């Protein structure tokens, strides 16, 4: 297409009905107006980015037993088409039962609404739970000039709503070496993050593109539609749901890649994934505190191949179940745990969004910190848990030289400290 300066470009323009007195308005006119409104809203949604705005957390139903039933919190998401997917109230979903009269997939965004049918096996394995647009009809409208008994177009209300689908992940893992049960959760999470492929970028920054990487990208346009938003990975066996992993696939609103091969350096997606890595670790550790009898004996590489670039580990002590720093980190951990201030954590975690995860097989040194305010609260008798902050060696050092709890802020204190 070729245009001149100041010549309107009509391709892709919004087409709205021009209303004026005396015009005969038809159903087609009103439909066109609705379509223009939806398209305008969709463009705003695409500008905001795709992902989850709030809510839509998925967890195993506590009363489900061995049945694959999950609970999904109310919430809002935006799909790649810019369509808002809204769940009004907390909802329980049985993954095994399928509605016999399936609601229509939403067609209000054309090809974005196309959802592939199939890949809906009933066997055990890994599944991706997604929220999808759907539409349904409600009631009948009075008509004029039509035989209501045979009319097929007299629907009163079209409901723009949502539905949930589960998509089999196992076909995308064929030929891979699957780790033992302890490492499965970490394995599937970093398979979704695409860490193995992302690591290749730095060997050839100018010639390697990361436009597509990770398990979710592999599923797109094959079983995962553009109109669907991933919510969680679910591992289901004969014993029931083994785990529900939200942050492997859950992302905040993430802006679309601006193009080019420097995805690893400039794209909002990598920062969004780093945030998800930290939250994934937090959720898995919380689950381990509940499920494991003796978390103090756990070593990191028993459960993790990768750790996020920074995180917080809850420690045991004072009658609380928790982890032991020496056992958990072992030799890759720093020889000495140093002190830091709480106000330095914000800059550490903000910087961590720009760093790659910790590969425990690389035997890299990991920096460990106690938080001064946390230590002081415990010494003052407050009922709080002691924590340990860990960070990748490439992150800036945030330790503060201290003697007891005070900085070396005077010559007398420094002289006393070095006696």
């Amino acid at each position: 297409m070729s245009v001149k300066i100041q010549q309107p470009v009509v391709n892709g323009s919004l087409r709205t009905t021009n209303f004026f007195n005396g015009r005969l308005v038809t159903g087609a006119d009103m439909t066109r107006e609705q379509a223009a409104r939806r398209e305008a809203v969709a463009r705003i949604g695409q500008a905001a980015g795709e992902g989850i705005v709030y809510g839509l957390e998925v967890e195993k139903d506590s009363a489900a037993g061995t049945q694959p039933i999950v609970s999904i919190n109310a919430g809002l998401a935006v799909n790649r088409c810019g369509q808002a997917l809204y769940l009004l109230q907390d909802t329980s979903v049985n993954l095994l039962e399928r509605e016999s009269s399936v609601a229509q997939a939403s067609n209000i965004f054309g090809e974005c609404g196309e959802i592939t049918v199939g890949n809906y096996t009933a066997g055990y394995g890994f599944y991706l739970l997604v929220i999808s647009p759907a539409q349904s009809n409600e009631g009948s409208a009075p008509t004029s000039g039509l035989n209501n008994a045979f009319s097929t177009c007299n629907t009163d209300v079209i409901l723009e709503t949502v539905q949930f689908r589960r998509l089999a992940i196992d076909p995308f893992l064929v030929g891979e070496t699957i780790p033992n049960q302890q490492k499965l959760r970490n394995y599937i999470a970093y398979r979704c993050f695409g860490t193995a492929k992302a690591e290749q970028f730095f060997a050839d920054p100018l010639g390697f593109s990361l436009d597509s990487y990770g398990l979710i990208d592999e599923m797109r346009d094959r079983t995962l539609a553009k109109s669907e938003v991933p919510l969680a990975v679910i591992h289901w066996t004969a014993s029931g749901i083994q785990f529900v992993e939200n942050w492997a696939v859950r992302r905040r609103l993430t802006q679309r890649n601006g193009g080019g091969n420097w995805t690893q350096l400039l794209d909002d997606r990598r920062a969004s994934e780093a945030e998800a890595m930290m939250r994934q670790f937090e959720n898995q550790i919380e689950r381990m505190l509940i499920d494991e009898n003796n978390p103090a004996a756990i070593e990191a590489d028993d459960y993790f191949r990768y750790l996020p670039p920074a995180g917080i580990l809850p420690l045991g002590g004072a009658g609380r179940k928790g982890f032991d720093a020496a056992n958990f980190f072992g030799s890759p951990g720093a020889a000495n745990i140093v002190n830091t201030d709480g106000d330095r954590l914000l800059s550490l975690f903000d910087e961590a969004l720009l760093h790659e995860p910790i590969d425990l097989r690389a035997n890299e040194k990991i920096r460990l910190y106690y938080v001064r305010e946390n230590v002081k609260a415990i010494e003052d008798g407050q009922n709080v848990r002691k924590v340990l902050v860990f960070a990748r060696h490439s992150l800036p050092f945030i330790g503060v030289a201290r003697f007891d709890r005070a900085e070396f802020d005077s010559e007398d204190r420094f002289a006393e400290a070095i006696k």
Side-chain angles (χ1 to χ4, degrees), residues 57-70:
E57 293 93 353
V58 184
E59 61 181 12
K60 177 183 175 181
D61 192 302
S62 57
T66 60
Q67 292 296 308
I69 301 176
V70 296

Side-chain angles (χ1 to χ4, degrees), residues 98-351:
R98 189 177 186 185
E99 176 62 39
S100 56
S101 57
V102 181
Q104 290 179 288
S106 173
N107 59 14
I108 59 177
F109 285 104
E111 65 178 18
C112 273
E114 294 180 0
I115 295 177
T116 57
V117 178
N119 225 38
Y120 206 95
T121 56
Y124 304 126
F126 289 104
Y127 290 93
L128 176 66
L129 182 67
V130 301
I131 187 170
S132 310
Q135 65 184 54
S136 183
N137 300 333
E138 183 178 87
S140 298
T143 61
S144 176
L146 293 175
N147 184 347
N148 287 340
F150 299 99
S151 176
T152 59
C153 60
N154 67 333
T155 296
D156 184 29
V157 175
I158 297 176
L159 303 176
E160 298 178 14
T161 182
V162 296
Q163 64 182 352
F164 300 100
R165 294 207 306 152
R166 64 175 176 86
L167 309 176
I169 291 177
D170 294 67
F172 296 89
L173 304 178
V174 173
E176 299 185 18
T177 302
I178 306 299
N180 59 31
Q181 182 66 34
Q182 288 182 332
K183 286 189 175 181
L184 266 181
R185 186 165 180 170
N186 185 257
Y187 169 80
I188 200 68
Y190 282 84
R191 184 70 174 76
C192 293
F193 294 139
T195 300
K197 184 174 181 180
E199 289 173 340
Q200 303 173 29
F201 170 83
F202 298 105
D204 187 15
L206 297 180
F208 189 82
S209 175
L210 283 177
D211 288 337
S212 177
Y213 61 93
L215 181 59
I216 302 305
D217 280 355
E218 294 172 24
M219 298 179 68
R220 290 197 185 278
D221 298 324
R222 297 175 66 182
T223 58
L224 176 63
K226 293 179 181 179
S227 59
E228 298 182 303
V229 177
L231 297 181
V233 172
I234 298 170
H235 184 215
W236 175 36
T237 72
S239 302
I241 293 178
Q242 299 303 302
F243 62 76
V244 176
E245 176 51 66
N246 284 260
W247 285 101
V249 298
R250 179 187 175 92
R251 302 289 182 270
R252 59 162 171 80
L253 282 186
T254 303
Q255 295 179 345
R256 181 180 297 183
N257 181 14
N261 294 337
W262 286 14
T263 307
Q264 189 83 336
L265 302 178
L266 303 176
D267 190 23
D268 186 40
R269 173 176 173 177
R270 290 304 291 166
S272 175
E273 286 168 342
E275 178 183 326
M277 291 175 191
M278 290 185 242
R279 294 187 181 276
Q280 187 277 328
F281 174 81
E282 176 189 13
N283 284 3
Q284 184 171 352
I285 285 294
E286 288 177 353
R287 188 73 249 175
M288 291 170 66
L289 279 178
I290 297 172
D291 295 341
E292 300 296 330
N293 293 325
N294 185 20
I298 290 177
E299 298 179 9
D301 57 8
D302 288 337
Y303 287 80
F304 303 91
R305 159 71 190 277
Y306 294 99
L307 295 176
I312 299 178
L313 185 72
L315 301 179
R320 295 176 182 265
K321 283 175 62 177
F323 298 87
D324 179 83
N327 285 339
F328 191 84
F329 289 104
S331 58
N336 297 305
I337 302 175
V338 299
N339 294 305
T340 191
D341 287 320
D343 59 6
R344 297 171 190 259
L345 294 183
L346 181 60
S347 61
L348 176 72
F349 280 85
D350 187 57
E351 176 78 12

